Amino acid sequence: MKVGVIDYGVGNLGSVARALEELRVTPVLIDRAVDIHAADNLILPGVGSFTDCKRQLDRHGWTEALKDEVLGYDKPLLGICVGMQLLADRGYEGAIDVSGTPGLGFVPGEVRSLVGLGCTLRVPHVGWNAVDFCRPSDLLIGIPSGTDFYFVHSYTLVPQNPSDTLAVTDYGVSIAAVVGRGRVWGTQFHPEKSSRAGFKVLRNFVE
């Protein structure tokens, strides 16, 4: 199986690739959108601003390539951190106007700031937090609800449909920690930095 890690100029690719190698899976770093079809499933990392990441996807043809693979070929996709946020309809971090920046639209919803949602704790949210499961998911098999995962973020995806929220964490406000719709999933936490539980998430996705 070829696990394609999208290399679009942002994201912590090294740690994701090393985590996959620990699972005895050979990651394929895909740095051209035209090569995306060769992978069996896809991981979309993301670090930084929603708008900056989306511009990178748009600039190099990734947006259309991802839509072709996910919507046309039903290829499994896992978004990590800002990669999860990019699954939404739109986001407001770094947007140049009030209408926001369009996302990929795989998981209906918007990406909002923690402060705007009412969080009074320190932002960005950095550290380990317990994740409570809302409904069964293949991505979470073998992991107890309440397990800690590692987060680094100031914004969060707010799904339009409650059924798309698979797990939540509490950080002053309820945050969607895992989302899923069809064969598209996202984790707001970093599984590659979340020890055994995070590696289990990656293993479940690969399998």
Side-chain angles (χ1 to χ4, degrees):
M1 175 178 288
K2 293 182 180 179
V3 180
V5 180
I6 306 300
D7 180 3
Y8 61 109
V10 302
N12 194 358
L13 303 180
S15 60
V16 173
R18 284 192 296 273
L20 291 170
E21 289 168 353
E22 287 284 330
L23 298 172
R24 300 193 178 184
V25 174
T26 302
V28 178
L29 296 182
I30 304 175
D31 59 7
R32 299 191 311 164
V34 294
D35 296 328
I36 195 172
H37 192 61
D40 298 302
N41 49 22
L42 302 166
I43 294 178
L44 178 65
V47 173
S49 158
F50 180 99
T51 295
D52 288 345
C53 288
K54 184 55 165 49
R55 284 174 180 161
Q56 285 290 100
L57 291 179
D58 292 341
R59 186 176 296 127
H60 300 291
W62 290 107
T63 297
E64 290 309 313
L66 283 164
K67 288 182 177 180
D68 285 346
E69 294 301 307
V70 171
L71 302 178
Y73 295 97
D74 199 28
K75 186 164 291 184
L77 171 67
L78 174 65
I80 295 175
C81 196
V82 179
M84 166 175 144
Q85 296 173 11
L86 289 166
L87 305 177
D89 290 322
R90 65 185 56 254
Y92 296 91
E93 184 182 17
I96 60 175
D97 58 50
V98 295
S99 64
T101 300
L104 293 167
F106 296 147
V107 178
E110 296 185 336
V111 178
R112 297 281 185 175
S113 73
L114 297 181
V115 172
L117 292 172
C119 178
T120 57
L121 302 179
R122 178 180 291 181
V123 175
H125 169 205
V126 179
W128 295 83
N129 258 60
V131 171
D132 298 310
F133 302 165
C134 304
R135 52 188 46 81
S137 168
D138 290 344
L139 194 68
L140 302 173
I141 287 174
I143 303 168
S145 184
T147 297
D148 285 351
F149 291 88
Y150 188 76
F151 291 80
V152 182
H153 66 118
S154 301
Y155 283 71
T156 186
L157 197 168
V158 181
Q160 177 180 310
N161 302 307
S163 61
D164 291 337
T165 302
L166 304 181
V168 296
T169 192
D170 186 278
Y171 188 72
V173 294
S174 182
I175 295 166
V178 184
V179 298
R181 175 179 272 264
R183 286 159 68 80
V184 173
W185 295 271
T187 64
Q188 183 58 66
F189 56 79
H190 286 270
E192 77 282 6
K193 296 181 179 180
S194 295
S195 192
R196 291 183 180 179
F199 279 33
K200 179 60 174 168
V201 169
L202 293 173
R203 169 63 72 190
N204 287 343
F205 173 68
V206 170
E207 293 181 346

